[in-house]
Amino acid sequence: MTALILLTIRELRAKLIIVGLFAVATFVWLMLTFALNLDIVDGTLAGMRIFGQETALEQQVEVEDPETGEVRTETLRPFGENPLENLVISVQQGVAGITFWVVLLLGLFATGSLVASMMERGQVDLLLSKPVARSTLLGGRLLGVGAVVAALVVYVLGAVWLVISIKSGIWNGSFLIGVAVVLTMFAVLYGIVTLVSVWTESTALAMIVALGLIVASLVLSAPDEAVLQINRPWREIYVGLYYLFPKFPAATAMTWTLAGGEPVENWVPFLTSLAFGAACYAGAFALFQRKDF
């Protein structure tokens, strides 16, 4: 198994995919890190700049009393009474949400061809000639992909968390929980890539289906008020598809919530997404086991 994982990583490195992944990741975290400049005096936020633009910590607004008509000046604090901590957590939540989609799409385009390429003539014949079970071959391939994407997520989120924590002095450990959510949802998406690749041996079709699944999840994430406007029986079909397919927008919101240290009220979207991914992997392993090469 270890040899198969290392073989996958070496293949990615030979194609310069690993170099490209980490170059893009470095650009992303450098941009996110240096876009925010904090002026901290004695542990208190004195000022901040986002992309070089000064952002006001307080705003003076005039408010008219509806009863007396008297106009008075009030001070608004967009980041609350504890602006430094609230700002750091807000930035980290934003980074977690952006990283979710960056890793999902970047990882998909970088590794989407690996399962189909493993079944090309010559390579699959060589692998099957070894005294290794077919489930081990496919599992090693998938673990190799998972290892590279896990390193990418830890690299991006870990570096951003470390830099922001050092600059602000606020160490929000909840932000790192987002690593697990991002990796899990990538694994769910890669489940459909694996199933289609094993079934059809077509990288293009696997990528099209995976991207279609992302689009479908966006379409199926309409708010409840909009769903109630759909006529029967299409409403039941819409709701059924919502629970059937992975829910990437809901997972993004969950990543945001967990990064802020807040409890998640509804785990159903995440758990049903896991069930979809598990079903895809079960189908892929069953097909690969019986496939005639």
Side-chain angles (χ1 to χ4, degrees):
M1 178 68 80
T2 304
L4 291 167
I5 296 172
L6 294 176
L7 180 65
T8 303
I9 295 174
R10 277 199 294 268
E11 185 175 334
L12 286 169
R13 188 179 61 185
K15 294 178 179 177
L16 298 180
I17 291 176
I18 288 181
V19 176
L21 277 176
F22 282 87
V24 174
T26 301
F27 172 76
V28 170
W29 82 253
L30 283 175
M31 185 181 66
L32 292 173
T33 300
F34 292 104
L36 177 66
N37 292 304
L38 303 176
D39 296 329
I40 300 174
V41 180
D42 296 330
T44 304
L45 183 63
M48 69 174 180
R49 294 181 299 279
I50 299 177
F51 290 106
Q53 297 295 319
E54 193 76 27
T55 301
L57 299 177
E58 294 183 350
Q59 294 178 347
Q60 302 294 324
V61 296
E62 293 185 346
V63 179
E64 182 178 355
D65 191 312
E67 296 182 355
T68 64
E70 181 182 355
V71 178
R72 63 181 184 278
T73 302
E74 293 186 353
T75 302
L76 292 182
R77 296 181 175 84
F79 298 101
E81 296 300 328
N82 192 352
L84 179 58
E85 182 175 350
N86 292 339
L87 174 66
V88 168
I89 291 176
S90 297
V91 170
Q92 290 179 338
Q93 286 179 311
V95 170
I98 294 171
T99 304
F100 180 92
W101 288 100
V102 169
V103 170
L104 209 65
L105 296 176
L106 202 61
L108 176 65
F109 286 115
T111 63
S113 65
L114 287 180
V115 176
S117 66
M118 186 183 73
M119 290 182 292
E120 293 175 352
R121 292 295 175 191
Q123 184 167 358
V124 71
D125 297 332
L126 178 62
L127 291 172
L128 293 177
S129 67
K130 307 295 181 184
V132 180
R134 289 192 174 196
S135 58
T136 304
L137 291 175
L138 184 56
R141 193 68 158 181
L142 296 176
L143 287 176
V145 172
V148 171
V149 175
L152 177 70
V153 177
V154 171
Y155 177 67
V156 175
L157 289 181
V160 171
W161 175 77
L162 189 62
V163 170
I164 292 179
S165 298
I166 292 174
K167 291 173 70 173
S168 66
I170 294 177
W171 299 81
N172 174 28
S174 300
F175 173 73
L176 298 177
I177 299 176
V179 173
V181 179
V182 175
L183 285 176
T184 303
M185 292 308 295
F186 175 79
V188 169
L189 182 63
Y190 209 76
I192 192 66
V193 173
T194 305
L195 177 60
V196 176
S197 296
V198 172
W199 186 8
T200 66
E201 302 179 26
S202 169
T203 298
L205 184 58
M207 298 287 282
I208 290 171
V209 173
L211 291 174
L213 202 62
I214 292 176
V215 174
S217 72
L218 294 171
V219 173
L220 293 170
S221 62
D224 294 341
E225 294 77 9
V227 175
L228 291 175
Q229 303 303 317
I230 302 175
N231 295 327
R232 296 175 183 275
W234 298 109
R235 187 192 307 168
E236 284 75 11
I237 295 174
Y238 181 94
V239 173
L241 291 175
Y242 170 78
Y243 283 105
L244 175 65
F245 289 155
K247 297 143 195 75
F248 297 106
T252 307
M254 195 173 77
T255 306
W256 175 286
T257 301
L258 291 172
E262 302 169 7
V264 177
E265 297 180 354
N266 184 9
W267 286 88
V268 171
F270 184 68
L271 295 176
T272 52
S273 298
L274 285 182
F276 179 89
C280 288
Y281 282 115
F285 273 89
L287 281 174
F288 189 68
Q289 194 71 26
R290 293 180 297 181
K291 197 171 183 66
D292 185 18
F293 292 100

